[in-house]
Amino acid sequence: MSRIELRENGLHLVLEVTEEKDVRLLHFGATALNEAQVLEERQPGFRLMELQLTGEDRAEYHGRTHRASYPGLRMVYAGHTNGRNAFGRKLEVALRDPKTGLEAVQHVQFYDGVQTVRAWAELYNAGSKAVGVEYVSSFALTGLDKEGSQDRDDKMVLSIPHTGWQSELQWRTYRLPELGLSHLTDRSSKRISCSNTGSWSAAEHIPMAVLENRETNSSLFWQIEHNGSWHWEIFDQVDQLTLLLSGPTEHDNHWWVSLQPGERFVSVPVAVGAANGGFEEAIAQLTAYRRRIRRPNADNRELRIIFNDYMNCLWGSPTTQKLLPLIDAAAEAGCEYFCIDAGWYAPGEWWDGVGEWLPSSERFPEGIKYVLDYIRSKGMVPGLWLELEVMGINSPKLADTDDSWFFLRHGKRVMDRSRYQLDYRNPKVVAHADEVIRRLVEDYGVGYIKMDYNINAGIGTEADADSFGDGLLQHNRAYLAWLDRIFAHYPELVIENCSSGGMRMDYAMLSRHSIQSTSDQENYVNYAAIAAASPSALTPEQSAIWSYPLREGDDEEVVFNMVNALLLRVHQSGHLAELSPRRRELVKQALDYYKTIRADIPEALPFWPLGLPKQQDDWISLGLRRPGSDTVYLAVWRTRGETSSQALPLSSLQGEALAIRCAYPQDLDCAWDWDPAAGQLTVTLPPAPSARLFEIRRKS
């Protein structure tokens, strides 16, 4: 019996290889392993990998869980490497199935200074026959609840980010019995699971979660880094909780692949980390990790202000006449990008005709380049909206295509919302997309693209695939490879990741894109909770938040709109040219202030004095704190209710003498009182809806 023990960046990992060459992951966490917590009779459940092949047996009472799989139970140790690369330590553990000859490698990549690893599995068929893969874990961990003495029903809580169109980032925290997983036996058929099937990776849940042990004040957290179908589950076995993370599976996501002799398959990468502390400490570590894995780019350092003409403004119907006064007003307010949103390519209704991406001469009689040049003349970078993964069912471009361009199921093109899904495995599709980008960047001088995606292509495609899900996974990866080539060719180009707002909020996409649309929410009051929650799912500097002052609003409405965005990425919109001078000045005041603090945002970490925001809350608060800085930025929203004051716990500042000011707006009513002994800031705001942004500094 031998062990592999690693201590890296505050993480502890313990693997054991038995005399029978079984490999067991005994521990992964922010504290060292306590041997007494891993009883010998339970250790067989601490498997490093679950792997299910077609025609193989299953063991135990497994229900719909993916535990007790074969040849997962049969895989034996075949060696390991433990070295370093440019990111940090890298552990690779090789496994082999003596019956089929299938080989596997479990990869665990550490990142120096970050308490998060990236994990994935690689399969290689070294046998003489094809094998059908139904499931392979990217990461498997048993013993989630082994620390502490309390029962897991009492000490463990799971936070899940529910999401939906215009209702993104609705975190809810549960005790496990509230989700039906009560501790009544050593194993059951029940699982807690989240799954996504289709090309909107965040249609119902963000692909992440946080599990806290409230007794030991520690947390385990994860995200699945994929832009399509994915799955995670928690279940009980050997009287312990197990977590399995994966990409698509056959039983959950219609994915299956036939691995021929000599072929390889690499699973979807996942990130897993552990921290001493609760939810905020988990998100701090994830934020640091997300910054490490992201494509280096100037946009996430400069945080330039974007004006987009869509939301509560032109609503996808731009013309030269409508745009020119907006461009003037955006420039006067201090915007640095101006993006013309949907509709620039068609004279009227355009939804089912998209695909050529040529400008409409009716909308732009002088040519679209006239408007783009006008944007440039005002000191802003011009941008355009695109939706390059689809083609409308009435697009003129269809004449140049055939079925090989599109997703197919049962011999028919996949259609959703009057669009066909393009298949990026097809070189002709890629050439088409390349030419559109080339034309916009090189011929039109576009420096910003809002890349939208308004359909969900479902379970996948049968074309050149072993299963629908296999076709989808191949396409997902082909699209990412295309994106990588585009960014390599045009490194200064900013491409916003938008999928009807935030329907593809995942770190396969966000490791490439510098900026993410967070919502299509049209009500600025409802947007507050989404904005405040967004740094849990992505770094603050990638979180694009609409701010759209209304024609019919008042001063407090403008302020609320602007506070929504000021600690994140400002996505300005609204009819700025038609606002009163006073209200336009409030917009400019906000953007001017933003430019003085935005250098802090790419290094800041989020916190939530009132807990994670809910749409049902009367008061919401988000703070940003830059490590090593004496300044804290605190946004406070009063969304509804009659209570005019709210106490905000700021425990990290307890006992400190503070200088506090309302940084925005600078000339509207509000009051505050700091109680250093209690570590509590009490804020009084005007009647709801109202909002303020505070700047808090430690006195030297």
Side-chain angles (χ1 to χ4, degrees):
M1 187 176 294
S2 61
R3 281 200 173 180
I4 304 166
E5 299 193 37
L6 299 180
R7 181 177 179 180
E8 287 285 315
N9 316 309
L11 291 173
H12 300 257
L13 183 149
V14 180
L15 282 164
E16 185 171 86
V17 182
T18 71
E19 294 178 2
E20 295 79 19
K21 294 192 174 181
D22 294 328
V23 182
R24 298 167 179 169
L25 177 53
L26 297 183
H27 182 65
F28 176 84
T31 57
L33 171 64
N34 181 343
E35 298 284 348
Q37 293 168 337
V38 185
L39 302 178
E40 186 173 351
E41 63 269 20
R42 297 179 182 174
Q43 290 182 11
F46 286 67
R47 287 180 290 281
L48 177 65
M49 180 183 295
E50 290 288 0
L51 174 62
Q52 183 66 48
L53 298 185
T54 299
E56 291 275 7
D57 199 6
R58 295 291 301 272
E60 297 186 12
Y61 295 100
H62 58 81
R64 293 191 63 206
T65 73
H66 290 92
R67 73 164 178 261
S69 58
Y70 278 101
L73 285 165
R74 206 167 54 224
M75 302 288 281
V76 295
Y77 176 74
H80 77 277
T81 62
N82 176 12
R84 294 188 62 83
N85 55 26
F87 304 108
R89 186 165 300 282
K90 174 78 182 299
L91 176 67
E92 299 178 7
V93 182
L95 304 170
R96 181 178 56 84
D97 176 22
K99 179 179 176 181
T100 63
L102 186 67
E103 298 175 355
V105 178
Q106 178 68 59
H107 297 262
V108 182
Q109 175 69 62
F110 291 83
Y111 293 81
D112 289 338
V114 180
Q115 288 181 223
T116 307
V117 302
R118 176 181 274 171
W120 67 95
E122 184 176 358
L123 305 179
Y124 174 70
N125 188 353
S128 59
K129 297 180 180 179
V131 296
V133 184
E134 299 180 2
Y135 178 84
V136 59
S137 60
S138 292
F139 185 80
L141 179 64
T142 297
L144 312 180
D145 55 326
K146 66 183 187 300
E147 282 77 30
S149 59
Q150 295 177 8
D151 190 85
R152 63 174 176 254
D153 284 1
D154 300 320
K155 68 185 178 184
M156 307 301 294
V157 296
L158 178 64
S159 296
I160 297 175
H162 301 272
T163 201
W165 184 61
Q166 294 204 31
S167 55
E168 291 83 358
L169 291 158
Q170 299 293 299
W171 284 93
R172 293 296 183 271
T173 299
Y174 309 91
R175 295 192 179 275
L176 302 187
E178 293 177 316
L179 295 170
L181 188 60
S182 296
H183 190 188
L184 303 175
T185 181
D186 65 342
R187 67 190 189 279
S188 72
S189 62
K190 173 65 180 177
R191 66 179 182 175
I192 299 169
S193 66
C194 276
S195 215
N196 178 75
T197 300
S199 52
W200 270 0
S201 59
E204 295 180 285
H205 299 94
I206 306 294
M208 64 175 294
V210 178
L211 180 69
E212 296 176 66
N213 185 327
R214 292 277 173 88
E215 179 188 356
T216 61
N217 190 31
S218 60
S219 54
L220 182 79
F221 47 90
W222 58 90
Q223 67 180 22
I224 300 177
E225 297 169 359
H226 185 51
N227 53 329
S229 299
W230 52 263
H231 180 77
W232 65 256
E233 60 186 53
I234 293 173
F235 52 82
D236 49 7
Q237 64 169 346
V238 295
D239 211 30
Q240 296 282 338
L241 291 176
T242 294
L243 170 69
L244 296 182
L245 305 176
S246 73
T249 81
E250 180 173 50
H251 295 294
D252 298 288
N253 315 106
H254 302 264
W255 174 87
W256 178 88
V257 67
S258 178
L259 205 60
Q260 301 296 319
E263 287 187 341
R264 296 182 184 273
F265 173 75
V266 178
S267 74
V268 164
V270 302
V272 191
N276 291 311
F279 186 91
E280 287 184 2
E281 288 77 8
I283 297 303
Q285 291 298 330
L286 261 179
T287 301
Y289 165 80
R290 289 162 174 165
R291 287 168 173 157
R292 285 294 300 277
I293 66 166
R294 190 177 59 204
R295 175 183 61 90
N297 64 87
D299 187 46
N300 288 147
R301 297 188 298 272
E302 297 169 352
L303 278 62
R304 293 184 179 181
I305 297 165
I306 305 117
F307 186 95
N308 180 295
D309 65 32
Y310 180 77
M311 184 63 73
N312 285 325
C313 194
L314 300 187
W315 289 121
S317 185
T319 65
T320 301
Q321 186 177 8
K322 294 176 186 176
L323 283 168
L324 295 184
L326 266 180
I327 294 166
D328 290 341
E332 289 175 17
C335 297
E336 294 153 303
Y337 289 101
F338 190 103
C339 183
I340 301 172
D341 207 280
W344 58 270
Y345 36 76
E349 287 297 321
W350 48 263
W351 185 265
D352 62 3
V354 295
E356 280 192 310
W357 309 113
L358 297 171
S360 164
S361 58
E362 291 183 36
R363 291 185 182 274
F364 306 102
E366 308 86 349
I368 197 168
K369 199 167 185 304
Y370 171 81
V371 180
L372 298 174
D373 288 344
Y374 189 77
I375 293 168
R376 246 187 309 274
S377 75
K378 292 294 182 175
M380 297 182 291
V381 177
L384 287 173
W385 180 97
L386 277 180
E387 193 171 354
L388 263 185
E389 293 166 75
V390 304
M391 195 170 288
I393 61 174
N394 291 314
S395 174
K397 183 67 178 174
L398 290 174
D400 299 330
T401 71
D402 55 43
D403 280 352
S404 71
W405 284 55
F406 305 104
F407 274 28
L408 300 173
R409 287 203 292 272
H410 311 298
K412 302 289 186 180
R413 294 183 188 180
V414 173
M415 187 192 308
D416 188 47
R417 302 191 68 205
S418 301
R419 276 97 174 271
Y420 297 127
Q421 171 69 49
L422 290 167
D423 190 335
Y424 270 67
R425 296 174 297 165
N426 185 328
K428 293 180 180 178
V429 170
V430 171
H432 159 69
D434 285 347
E435 172 55 22
V436 173
I437 297 295
R438 188 211 62 77
R439 183 168 66 248
L440 265 60
V441 176
E442 297 182 18
D443 295 351
Y444 301 167
V446 164
Y448 185 100
I449 291 173
K450 176 179 177 178
M451 192 72 80
D452 212 341
Y453 180 61
N454 285 299
I455 74 168
N456 189 336
I459 60 178
T461 176
E462 66 196 14
D464 299 318
D466 295 330
S467 63
F468 295 135
D470 176 41
L472 177 60
L473 177 58
Q474 289 185 44
H475 159 79
N476 293 144
R477 288 173 163 173
Y479 182 74
L480 294 176
W482 174 78
L483 264 183
D484 289 338
R485 290 193 298 272
I486 292 298
F487 280 125
H489 195 64
Y490 302 108
E492 300 305 312
L493 178 64
V494 177
I495 304 180
E496 173 193 339
N497 183 34
C498 179
S499 295
S500 284
M503 297 295 94
R504 208 157 46 171
M505 204 179 295
D506 64 74
Y507 264 84
M509 300 294 280
L510 285 168
S511 63
R512 282 123 173 133
H513 291 278
S514 62
I515 188 166
Q516 167 72 50
S517 170
T518 52
S519 186
D520 276 352
Q521 175 53 244
E522 301 169 25
N523 183 307
Y524 70 94
V525 179
N526 292 341
Y527 210 145
I530 297 170
S534 66
S536 63
L538 62 160
T539 65
E541 62 272 21
Q542 289 179 284
S543 176
I545 304 297
W546 288 110
S547 174
Y548 36 67
L550 308 178
R551 284 167 162 151
E552 64 277 11
D554 57 15
D555 288 2
E556 289 293 350
E557 175 266 322
V558 174
V559 170
F560 197 109
N561 256 300
M562 300 308 296
V563 172
N564 281 351
L566 284 181
L567 295 185
L568 303 155
R569 286 299 297 275
V570 180
H571 225 157
Q572 192 66 49
S573 194
H575 287 281
L576 295 189
E578 300 179 35
L579 301 184
S580 68
R582 161 64 179 168
R583 297 176 74 228
R584 286 174 71 174
E585 176 55 33
L586 283 170
V587 173
K588 188 176 189 312
Q589 182 189 123
L591 299 185
D592 287 347
Y593 176 70
Y594 181 76
K595 291 175 182 177
T596 70
I597 69 169
R598 62 182 171 185
D600 286 340
I601 296 174
E603 297 179 29
L605 299 174
F607 65 97
W608 296 270
L610 299 177
L612 281 165
K614 300 181 180 66
Q615 287 293 344
Q616 296 75 24
D617 292 339
D618 290 354
W619 290 78
I620 293 167
S621 183
L622 165 67
L624 287 187
R625 181 187 297 111
R626 180 178 175 178
S629 171
D630 287 331
T631 303
V632 170
Y633 304 105
L634 189 68
V636 184
W637 294 267
R638 182 183 174 189
T639 63
R640 58 180 61 81
E642 300 302 319
T643 304
S644 61
S645 297
Q646 175 64 47
L648 304 166
L650 301 176
S651 58
S652 66
L653 298 174
Q654 189 168 2
E656 300 272 5
L658 301 178
I660 302 172
R661 74 182 184 103
C662 180
Y664 177 77
Q666 297 168 8
D667 55 356
L668 289 177
D669 290 341
C670 72
W672 60 91
D673 178 69
W674 170 243
D675 182 343
Q680 186 168 281
L681 176 67
T682 300
V683 171
T684 302
L685 295 187
S690 57
R692 297 292 185 267
L693 181 64
F694 294 92
E695 197 172 289
I696 302 170
R697 296 183 184 273
R698 288 187 173 93
K699 291 183 178 178
S700 56

